[in-house]
Structure formats: structure tokens, C-alpha cells
Amino acid sequence: MSSGIVLLIVVVVILVIIAYLVGILIRKRNDSRIAQLEERKQKLFDLPINEEIEEVKKLHLIGQSQTTFREWHQKWIDISTNSFADIENHIFEAENMNDTFHFFKASGEINNIESQLDLVEEDIKSIREALSTLKEQEEKNSARVKHALDLYEELQNSIEENSDNFGSTMTEINKQLKNIEAEFAEFVTLNSSGDPVEASTILDRAEEHTIALGQISEKIPAIVAKLEDDFPDQLDDLESGYRKLIEQNYHFPEKNIERRFQEIREAIRSNSSELVSLDLDRAEEENAEIQEKIDNLYSIFEREIASYKVVMRQKKILPDYLKHAKENNKKLQEELERLMLTYIFDETYAADVRSFASDISGVETAVLPTLENFETQVKPFSELEKIFEKSLNTLSAVENGQVEVFENLQAIEINEAKAREELDLYVNKLHVIKRYMEKRNLPGIPQSFLSVFFSTSAQIEALMDELSRGRINIDAVMRLTEISKNAIDHLEETAYLVVQNATLTEQLLQYSNRYRSFEPAVQSSFEHALKLFEVDHDYDASLEEISYALETVEPGVTDRFVSSYEKTREQIRM
């Protein structure tokens, strides 16, 4: 056998071995894939879809939800009975192909099975999601319906338990409850007949009406309590109090109180009747108006009671206050007449006393008839309080005026005595100033000082004359006393100035001797100043002349002499 044939045989054998090994590997790989597909199919088949379907069935779906459920249920039946059976047949065929060494056909069949399983898996996922959605939606709807029914039942029970608190509104509230109950019945009918959209609208409306009625029912008891309990009790209290006040001789400026009672009772009845319409805003407004009317009546009674307490205090004060004011005015009149014998003074004092008498008389006219017949008087206490208060204020003003006039009258004699004391002082001071000037040994008295002296003397004499009259004009005395004081003060200042100028002139004339021999200007001023001093007695001009001259040769010399003089100046002493 040739070597070529041997080589060919070897190659063929090798290829056969390789093919066998490849076939073995492909077969094992296909077996593994088939096993995986079988396991995947089984897992899908074992999913709890039947249980989930049963759970949804128990919800007793109706309408569109029930239709949707049936469609998905049918799809699961198709998958579980047809698709899985078909997949199982294809797996069986793939196993046969793989066992009979049809590896490539088996591989293609396996690929087809994988595609089928992918589709089934997607369908199963959609079915489960749809079932979950249906379940959630139904649970939501059930919870919503339960919530609405719970609200209604809670409201119904609350109203039944508290029916006594709703008064005349109970009939209308029961009517509203029946309407809501009818809406729930309509919801059930529509939902059962497969019209979930309209049923949902009806459910919304029933829930809204339930909530609205609940809010109304929360407000009604307070309104009814006012109309049936609070207002009648307050009105009874007011009427009872009114009768007691009338028995105690109370009177009122408001003449329509009985009619007000009747109007309030009519308003209470009217609001109670109209409350059946459940227009709570209007009812609350009406209640507020009724309460305001009741409060106004309370305010009227409280005002009169408070005024009564004030009037009783004022009633005790007024008689004594009137007596006191009249006695004071009598004393004032007597004092005024006594002083008028001795003095002339302002006429306003007499006018004030007459005015006080007129005010006192007005108070007597205003209050005495009431005070004397207090138990039978017919004025409201609030009006009496104003009258008495005005009278007390008038008497207080009168008293203050009387005190002021009395103090002014007392001051007349005091001022006269003081004026006489000051007159004596001024006369003595005039003599002291005169002696003071005489002791200075001046060359002569300046005419300016003499004018001031004689003027001051004349003012003092005028004061003396006024105080010597049979009836003293006290205002003139006060004026002349002030003038005399100012005059004597001015005279004293003038005396000091004259003596100061004369003394300083003498000192500076003596001091100028040190400059006269060699300062012609000083010599000239000396001669002129000496003439003014000794002949003219013009000490002011003389001082100015000599001081000016000395300042030119020795600045500050005048100030030095002035400072020294002020330290040793002799005072005018009484």
C-alpha cells in the first residue's frame, strides 16, 4: 500500500475522531441548554398566577374592570394550556434531534424555544401587572366607598345621638340624610350596571353632601342653643330685672324698653322658624343682631344702676356743699363791705361775689326740688348724675373763686401794713443818703444828684399822702410803693457814683503832680479838671478829663485807683 493511501486513511481517521469529539461537545452543550429551558419553563409555570387570579376574582369586579379581568384571565388560560404545551413538544423534539445526532437542527429548535419562552415571559409579566393594577384599583375604590359610607354613618349616628340639639332643623337634616342615602343607592346601581364613571361622579357628590351636612350639623347646635336657651334666659333676666328696677323708682330716658323686649322675642321666633332652611350665615347674623339688642338693654340697666350709686353719694354731699358755699359768700360779702369803708380797690371783687351768689342760686334751683322730693322724683338716675355732677363742679369752681377773692381781700390790709413799713424805711434811707453826702465834704453837690434826690423825695411824699387818705386806694399804694422803691434804689446808686467820681478825681489830681512839671498836656488837663471839680462840681467830667491825660503817660493808672477804691468804699448804712 502506497504511502499516499496510508496518509489519506490517517487523515480520514483523524477527521472522524475530531467530528465525533465535536459532536459530543455540541450534544452536551445542547443538553445543557435544553435543561435550562426546561427549568425556565417550569419556573414560569410555577408562578402563583392562579392564586393571584383567584384573589382578584374574590373582589367581585363589575363593569369595565370585570371585562378587563376576563381578557387577562383568558390570556393566561391560553398560555397555560397551549403555549406551555407547545413549548413542551418543542423541547421533546429538540431532545430527540440531539439524541439522533441532528445537532444543528436541535440547536435551531432550542433557539426557537428560547424565543417562545421570551414571549411567554413577557405575556406573563403583563398579566401579573394587569392583575396587580386591577387589585390596587379595586382596593382604592373599595376604600373610597368605605370612607364615604363611614363618614355618612358617623354623621347619621352623631345626629341621632344629639337630635335634641338641632331644634326645628331636625326635619330638614333628616331630609338631607335621606337624599345622601339615595345618592349612595344610585351609586351602587350604576356601579353594578357597568357605568363606573357616572357611579364615581355620584359617589363624589354623595361624599361632598355628607361633608357639607357634617359642617352644617357642627354649627347648628350653637345657633339653636342661643335661640332656645341663651336668648330666652337673658331676656327673662332682663325683664325680671326691669320690673325690680321700676319698683325701686328707677326711670329710663329710653321710653320703648317694653317694645324692645317684644321685638327681641319676635326676632328669636323668626330666626328659629327660618333656621329650617339651614341658611346658617343668615341665622348667625340674626343671632348677632339679637345679642347686640340684648347687650344694649343690659348696658342701659347697668348705666342706670351705676348712676344710682353715684347719685346717692352726690345726694349726701350737695346739701352741705351748698350750705358751705352760701356761708362763705356771706362772709365774703361782709368782709368786702368792711374793707370798702377803709379802702378803694378793684370792683371785680364785688362782681365776683355777686357772680358766686348767682351760681349758688342756680345750683339751688337745679337740685333742691329733687333733693327735697327725692323719693318721688321721676328723672333717670343717669340724668340726675349729670345734673348733680354739673352742680358739684359749679360749687367747686365757686369755692375756688371764693378762696382766691378772700386771699386777695386779706392781702389788702397786709399790703397796706407792708407799704407803711416800707415808707418808713424809704424816709429813713433818704435821710441817711443825705447825711452820707454831707459827710463827704465835697466842694458842692452836683445838680444831677439834686434832681434825683428831690424827685425821690416827691415820690415818697406821694406815697405818704396816699396812705394818709380816709379811704386808701390800695392799687395806687402798691404802685407808688414800687415807684418809691425804684427811686430810692436809683438815688443810692447815684450817691455812690457821685462820691466815687469825686474821690477818684481828688486822688488822680494829687497823683498828676508827678507829671505836671514836664508834661504840658497833664498840666493843662489838671487845670481844666480842677475847675470842673471845684467850680462846676461836675465830678464825672472832671474824672474823665484827668484820667484821660494820665492814661496817655501811664496806661492803667485809672483802673488801679478804681480797684483800690472799691475795696475801701464806705457803704451807706441805716
Side-chain angles (χ1 to χ4, degrees):
M1 188 177 288
S2 64
S3 59
I5 294 170
V6 171
L7 181 60
L8 179 61
I9 292 170
V10 171
V11 170
V12 171
V13 171
I14 291 170
L15 289 174
V16 170
I17 293 170
I18 291 171
Y20 179 75
L21 292 173
V22 169
I24 294 299
L25 290 173
I26 292 172
R27 182 179 178 183
K28 286 185 177 182
R29 181 174 177 273
N30 287 342
D31 284 342
S32 176
R33 290 179 68 192
I34 290 169
Q36 289 175 355
L37 291 173
E38 181 66 31
E39 183 180 357
R40 184 180 174 191
K41 182 209 74 169
Q42 193 60 41
K43 283 183 178 180
L44 290 174
F45 189 78
D46 291 340
L47 288 172
I49 298 174
N50 287 325
E51 289 82 354
E52 292 172 1
I53 289 172
E54 288 301 318
E55 286 180 6
V56 176
K57 272 184 181 180
K58 292 177 182 178
L59 297 177
H60 303 293
L61 300 177
I62 57 176
Q64 183 62 40
S65 298
Q66 187 180 53
T67 302
T68 303
F69 170 72
R70 285 173 179 170
E71 290 175 356
W72 288 109
H73 188 199
Q74 185 60 47
K75 192 164 189 176
W76 168 248
I77 292 172
D78 291 342
I79 291 172
S80 60
T81 56
N82 297 327
S83 298
F84 279 119
D86 188 48
I87 291 171
E88 184 65 32
N89 290 333
H90 283 289
I91 291 174
F92 182 73
E93 290 178 4
E95 288 176 342
N96 287 336
M97 291 178 184
N98 200 42
D99 290 341
T100 57
F101 302 104
H102 295 88
F103 302 129
F104 293 105
K105 286 184 179 182
S107 181
E109 190 66 21
I110 290 170
N111 290 335
N112 290 335
I113 295 169
E114 285 181 342
S115 299
Q116 280 183 293
L117 284 172
D118 287 341
L119 291 173
V120 168
E121 188 173 12
E122 287 296 324
D123 289 342
I124 289 174
K125 182 180 179 182
S126 298
I127 291 169
R128 298 190 74 191
E129 288 176 354
L131 291 173
S132 177
T133 301
L134 283 171
K135 184 179 178 181
E136 290 176 4
Q137 183 177 355
E138 189 60 27
E139 286 176 349
K140 281 184 181 179
N141 290 339
S142 298
R144 183 179 164 210
V145 173
K146 185 176 184 301
H147 173 70
L149 288 171
D150 288 345
L151 275 179
Y152 174 76
E153 289 177 3
E154 183 179 346
L155 175 62
Q156 189 178 39
N157 292 335
S158 174
I159 291 172
E160 287 177 359
E161 291 171 1
N162 301 282
S163 58
D164 293 341
N165 297 333
F166 294 94
S168 61
T169 64
M170 199 61 207
T171 302
E172 181 63 24
I173 289 175
N174 285 329
K175 180 181 176 182
Q176 297 284 353
L177 286 172
K178 288 181 180 179
N179 290 340
I180 295 171
E181 191 174 343
E183 288 174 338
F184 279 116
E186 185 179 0
F187 160 74
V188 172
T189 301
L190 289 171
N191 207 32
S192 302
S193 64
D195 193 353
V197 176
E198 181 63 22
S200 178
T201 302
I202 296 299
L203 182 62
D204 288 341
R205 190 187 307 158
E207 188 173 5
E208 288 172 3
H209 289 166
T210 302
I211 293 171
L213 186 58
Q215 292 173 344
I216 290 172
S217 67
E218 288 177 358
K219 293 182 178 181
I220 288 175
I223 298 173
V224 171
K226 281 186 173 293
L227 290 170
E228 296 185 356
D229 298 323
D230 295 353
F231 292 159
D233 289 347
Q234 292 180 56
L235 200 54
D236 290 343
D237 181 50
L238 283 170
E239 290 180 328
S240 173
Y242 178 69
R243 286 191 295 271
K244 289 179 181 178
L245 292 177
I246 293 298
E247 291 172 1
Q248 295 171 13
N249 201 33
Y250 275 76
H251 302 276
F252 299 87
E254 297 83 4
K255 303 303 180 184
N256 59 347
I257 291 179
E258 293 284 356
R259 184 161 56 82
R260 291 190 187 192
F261 289 149
Q262 185 61 31
E263 287 175 354
I264 292 171
R265 290 199 182 278
E266 289 175 0
I268 293 171
R269 284 195 294 271
S270 174
N271 201 23
S272 296
S273 299
E274 294 179 4
L275 186 59
V276 297
S277 65
L278 299 185
D279 186 354
L280 301 190
D281 290 339
R282 185 206 57 75
E284 287 177 337
E285 289 176 4
E286 288 291 327
N287 272 6
E289 291 179 6
I290 292 170
Q291 187 64 63
E292 184 178 359
K293 291 177 181 178
I294 290 174
D295 291 343
N296 286 339
L297 286 173
Y298 272 118
S299 297
I300 291 171
F301 297 167
E302 289 168 358
R303 178 197 68 205
E304 293 303 319
I305 292 170
S307 293
Y308 170 79
K309 295 177 181 178
V310 175
V311 165
M312 295 309 291
R313 290 197 300 269
Q314 294 169 333
K315 174 176 171 287
K316 294 177 181 179
I317 297 170
L318 271 169
D320 292 338
Y321 210 168
L322 260 173
K323 181 180 177 182
H324 173 71
K326 291 177 72 174
E327 289 175 353
N328 281 349
N329 225 48
K330 182 181 178 182
K331 291 177 182 178
L332 268 181
Q333 184 63 41
E334 292 171 352
E335 181 68 5
L336 192 64
E337 291 173 356
R338 183 184 70 81
L339 291 173
M340 287 176 67
L341 297 174
T342 310
Y343 299 98
I344 299 172
F345 45 80
D346 196 339
E347 284 291 331
T348 57
Y349 298 150
D352 286 341
V353 173
R354 289 194 297 271
S355 176
F356 298 153
S358 175
D359 289 341
I360 293 169
S361 177
V363 170
E364 286 181 323
T365 302
V367 302
L368 279 183
T370 300
L371 292 174
E372 292 170 355
N373 302 282
F374 190 79
E375 299 303 324
T376 58
Q377 69 84 30
V378 294
K379 288 186 176 66
F381 289 119
S382 57
E383 184 178 333
L384 279 182
E385 180 185 0
K386 293 177 182 177
I387 295 171
F388 287 0
E389 184 67 26
K390 182 180 178 181
S391 298
L392 287 170
N393 290 337
T394 300
L395 292 177
S396 177
V398 166
E399 183 178 35
N400 292 335
Q402 288 172 336
V403 170
E404 184 179 353
V405 171
F406 184 73
E407 289 174 350
N408 289 334
L409 293 179
Q410 279 188 319
I412 291 175
E413 292 179 321
I414 295 171
N415 289 336
E416 181 204 356
K418 185 178 179 182
R420 291 186 183 278
E421 291 175 1
E422 291 183 357
L423 175 61
D424 292 341
L425 179 65
Y426 300 154
V427 170
N428 290 335
K429 197 162 191 178
L430 189 66
H431 292 306
V432 170
I433 291 171
K434 182 181 179 184
R435 287 197 301 272
Y436 175 79
M437 293 296 291
E438 290 171 349
K439 288 179 180 180
R440 301 285 76 77
N441 295 320
L442 298 175
I445 303 300
Q447 186 61 41
S448 60
F449 175 81
L450 291 174
S451 297
V452 174
F453 181 84
F454 291 127
S455 174
T456 301
S457 179
Q459 297 295 342
I460 293 173
E461 287 176 1
L463 175 59
M464 191 180 301
D465 291 341
E466 190 60 45
L467 287 170
S468 300
R469 295 179 186 275
R471 289 183 68 201
I472 299 170
N473 187 329
I474 195 63
D475 292 335
V477 167
M478 297 302 295
R479 185 178 69 257
L480 289 171
T481 300
E482 184 66 23
I483 292 171
S484 297
K485 178 182 181 300
N486 293 334
I488 203 74
D489 289 343
H490 180 54
L491 178 62
E492 184 177 14
E493 291 173 5
T494 303
Y496 278 131
L497 185 60
V498 169
V499 172
Q500 176 178 315
N501 289 342
T503 303
L504 289 172
T505 300
E506 283 185 307
Q507 291 175 354
L508 289 176
L509 286 172
Q510 291 175 7
Y511 188 78
S512 67
N513 289 332
R514 66 176 62 186
Y515 295 106
R516 287 169 53 197
S517 60
F518 57 87
E519 287 290 344
V522 173
Q523 175 62 32
S524 176
S525 291
F526 175 84
E527 292 172 355
H528 186 210
L530 187 61
K531 175 183 176 300
L532 290 170
F533 183 82
E534 293 181 344
V535 178
D536 299 336
H537 308 142
D538 189 351
Y539 306 125
D540 184 31
S542 178
L543 177 62
E544 184 178 356
E545 177 67 27
I546 192 62
S547 65
Y548 179 79
L550 287 174
E551 286 295 324
T552 60
V553 296
E554 188 179 340
V557 64
T558 303
D559 289 341
R560 191 167 69 250
F561 274 87
V562 169
S563 177
S564 176
Y565 173 80
E566 288 177 347
K567 292 177 182 179
T568 58
R569 184 178 72 174
E570 182 181 353
Q571 299 294 321
I572 300 174
R573 302 185 185 280
M574 296 293 292

